[in-house]
């Protein structure tokens, strides 16, 4: 009699956490791992589930932290409008509650603005930064008005058929041949978020720019820019690299959300830039009482 062979099972997924920070209630998902965590800042209106393909493609030992901005996914909308400096402070306090010190940060599109602001406000806490399909805010070169007008409402996150119908014009790149993939991607969101939350994100991004202070961001930075991005033209990636003292540019032939739709192609680029997950050599304590790891290159 033969003994049946059982397939190994994956460890159970970490449950979502809801953190009360700065008059906000933020949903956070923390994949445990080894070494410095990678914090993912999502695009406007998108919940953390949209980033599932990227997280799955990254090195399995790399810790990853992602969250829903107020008014997206399962994070309730903010009671008042906010600016990106405040949201970067909220993110820092959320990391405190998780017991996390130094992090790497990746920002996609609107999340790239938050990533820049976080790096600016936390020069000793942010080790490296990755900016994907993003720019310098109101000082950037915008996409065509007929493209940007499709982003004025969050309808694409709640109506997959509508998302598929506008996907090619809006996102470019691989979406032009696989527009239905966008609808399926957004179906993964548990909730579409709120209109007021989306409006708050629009206002926060519409009153912000990083252009004056880019030269003081000393973190090593990887800028990923698509040559077929209707929302953020490729010139914006080059401007970021000109302004950031330690930036390198990775251009690709795709569009605005190829990072998610073609995650297996981009994950090795990100892993190579961040280096292999490993335990820090030693800790260091700063005056705020948070245990931080040294920022080594």
């Amino acid at each position: 009699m033969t003994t049946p062979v059982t397939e190994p099972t994956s460890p159970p997924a970490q449950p979502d956490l809801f953190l009360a920070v700065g008059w906000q209630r933020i949903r956070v998902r923390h994949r445990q791992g080894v070494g410095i965590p990678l914090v993912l800042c999502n695009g406007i209106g998108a919940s953390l589930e949209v980033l599932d393909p990227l997280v799955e493609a990254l090195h399995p030992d790399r810790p990853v932290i992602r969250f829903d901005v107020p008014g997206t996914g399962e994070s309730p909308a903010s009671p008042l409008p906010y600016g990106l400096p405040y949201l970067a402070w909220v993110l820092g306090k959320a990391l405190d509650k998780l017991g996390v010190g130094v992090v790497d940060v990746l920002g996609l599109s609107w999340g790239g603005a938050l990533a820049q602001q976080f790096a600016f406000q936390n020069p000793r806490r942010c080790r490296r930064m990755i900016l994907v399909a993003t720019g310098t805010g109101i000082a950037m070169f915008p996409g065509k008005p007929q493209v940007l007008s499709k982003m004025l409402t969050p309808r694409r996150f709640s109506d997959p058929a509508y998302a598929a119908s506008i996907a090619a014009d809006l996102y470019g790149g691989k979406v032009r041949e696989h527009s239905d993939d966008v609808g399926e991607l957004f179906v993964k969101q548990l909730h579409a978020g709120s209109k007021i939350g989306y409006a708050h994100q629009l206002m926060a991004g519409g009153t912000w720019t990083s252009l004056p202070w880019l030269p003081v961001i000393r973190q090593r930075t990887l800028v990923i820019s698509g040559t077929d991005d209707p929302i953020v033209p490729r010139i914006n990636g080059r401007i970021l690299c000109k302004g950031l003292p330690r930036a390198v540019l990775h251009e690709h032939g795709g569009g605005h959300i190829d990072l998610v739709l073609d995650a297996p192609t981009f994950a090795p680029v990100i892993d190579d830039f961040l280096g292999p997950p490993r335990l820090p050599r030693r800790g260091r304590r700063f005056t705020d009482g948070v245990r931080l790891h040294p920022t080594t290159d």
Side-chain angles (χ1 to χ4, degrees):
M1 180 177 179
T2 60
T3 303
V5 177
T6 59
E7 294 291 331
T9 58
S10 301
Q14 293 290 324
D16 291 346
L17 302 173
F18 289 86
L19 305 179
V21 181
W23 305 284
Q24 311 294 337
R25 186 168 180 262
I26 305 295
R27 178 173 68 134
V28 177
R29 186 171 295 175
H30 186 187
R31 186 181 81 175
Q32 302 291 331
V34 176
I36 294 175
L38 175 62
V39 176
L40 303 181
C41 303
N42 213 342
I44 188 169
S47 72
L48 59 81
E49 283 83 10
V50 170
L51 296 171
D52 281 350
L54 175 61
V55 175
E56 292 165 4
L58 290 170
H59 193 293
D61 291 335
R62 189 176 305 285
V64 179
I65 298 171
R66 44 188 166 144
F67 60 98
D68 286 337
V69 170
T72 67
E74 291 193 44
S75 292
S78 173
L80 295 171
Y82 54 81
L84 285 169
Y86 166 76
L87 195 57
W89 175 83
V90 168
L91 175 56
K93 291 301 181 183
L95 294 175
D96 290 347
K97 291 201 169 189
L98 293 174
V100 172
V102 165
V103 297
D104 298 318
V105 61
L106 180 152
L108 170 62
S109 190
W110 185 94
L114 178 56
Q116 292 173 68
Q117 187 68 45
F118 181 83
F120 175 66
Q121 291 178 206
N122 301 275
R124 302 178 74 183
R125 189 173 200 173
C126 179
R127 185 188 68 139
R128 297 184 186 179
M129 179 169 61
I130 302 170
L131 302 176
V132 186
T134 193
T136 58
I138 58 175
M140 67 183 282
F141 281 83
K144 296 179 180 179
Q146 59 268 35
V147 172
L148 298 181
S149 65
K150 296 180 173 66
M151 300 182 64
L152 292 177
T153 74
R155 180 183 171 189
R156 64 191 184 280
F157 295 110
S158 58
D159 186 343
Y162 174 73
S165 71
I166 66 169
D169 292 336
L170 188 60
Y171 298 118
K174 285 191 171 295
V175 178
R176 296 193 188 280
E177 290 79 34
H178 305 283
S179 59
D180 289 343
D181 291 348
V182 174
E184 295 175 6
L185 179 66
F186 290 162
V187 161
K188 297 176 73 173
Q189 296 198 128
L190 298 180
H191 299 285
S194 68
K195 291 182 179 179
I196 187 66
Y198 194 86
H200 286 168
Q201 283 190 274
L202 282 175
M203 287 187 286
T207 56
W208 175 91
T209 181
S210 62
L211 197 59
W213 42 261
L214 281 181
V216 306
I217 296 181
R218 308 303 300 181
Q219 290 90 344
R220 286 185 60 190
T221 302
L222 173 65
V223 178
I224 299 178
S225 179
T227 60
D228 183 23
D229 186 340
I231 297 175
V232 181
R234 64 191 294 187
I235 189 174
N236 291 287
R238 298 179 178 182
I239 291 172
L240 283 170
C241 282
K242 288 286 186 181
L244 292 163
R246 305 182 67 196
V248 293
L249 179 63
H250 176 83
E251 284 194 343
H252 61 94
H256 194 68
I257 58 173
D258 279 28
L259 177 77
V260 178
L261 293 181
D262 191 20
T265 296
F266 291 93
V269 176
I270 294 169
D271 280 328
D272 182 65
F273 174 73
L274 296 177
R278 58 173 180 248
L279 290 172
R281 288 189 294 254
R282 65 183 185 276
R284 184 176 179 184
R285 186 173 297 278
F286 291 101
T287 56
D288 60 3
V290 179
R291 185 75 173 179
L292 301 181
H293 303 309
T295 55
T296 57
D297 288 332

